[in-house]
Amino acid sequence: VQLVESGGDSVQTGKSLRLSCATEGFTTDDYGIAWFRQAPGKEREAIANYNTHDHTTTYADAVKGRFTISLDSANNEVSLQMNDLNPDDTGTYYCAGTFGWLFTRTVAGPMPGPRWYDFWGQGTQVTVSP
């Protein structure tokens, strides 16, 4: 499995960005895909995930209503539309994936942390200035 992120940039508060994650190797329907971010000096946090079983999405409170995760199965791409950005959104954004999503959700809950994901992209930097 390979994940490659793109789309990171430096923007001002209130602007929007769209991150993309090209995926390769998810050959079954039972997988989970998510976006994480890590600010300097802080732990990596889950911000959004996509449930491939019922096509539902889950968001962290910090981004709910501003960010949207979407899956384009035909093109093997997961996107994160980020609107109304603020300096607290600054960080390195990672795409992550795992097989056995149904089990993961059952055990780890609706927003599994980083240890539940087996595959990671290299990250893309987002910087939001005041």
Side-chain angles (χ1 to χ4, degrees):
V1 173
Q2 289 188 333
L3 304 171
V4 180
E5 305 96 333
S6 61
D9 204 348
S10 296
V11 297
Q12 292 183 322
T13 293
K15 298 298 185 181
S16 298
L17 278 178
R18 186 176 182 87
L19 305 182
S20 295
C21 175
T23 72
E24 180 180 338
F26 286 114
T27 56
T28 74
D29 292 333
D30 185 18
Y31 70 93
I33 198 84
W35 284 95
F36 285 75
R37 71 183 178 192
Q38 188 166 20
K42 294 187 177 181
E43 294 185 352
R44 193 170 297 189
E45 62 173 341
I47 56 173
N49 66 53
Y50 190 98
N51 187 336
T52 57
H53 287 278
D54 57 14
H55 304 287
T56 57
T57 55
T58 305
Y59 299 94
D61 288 343
V63 306
K64 199 173 294 183
R66 300 187 298 122
F67 290 13
T68 303
I69 185 173
S70 58
L71 173 64
D72 181 350
S73 298
N75 293 305
N76 296 319
E77 183 176 278
V78 180
S79 299
L80 185 69
Q81 177 66 39
M82 307 187 295
N83 298 328
D84 193 21
L85 288 161
N86 62 67
D88 290 337
D89 297 316
T90 294
T92 302
Y93 283 68
Y94 298 90
C95 180
T98 186
F99 289 108
W101 182 241
L102 189 60
F103 171 80
T104 298
R105 281 287 301 262
T106 300
V107 175
M111 189 65 83
R115 74 181 186 95
W116 291 97
Y117 292 85
D118 299 313
F119 310 105
W120 293 85
Q122 81 287 354
T124 187
Q125 179 66 34
V126 172
T127 303
V128 185
S129 58

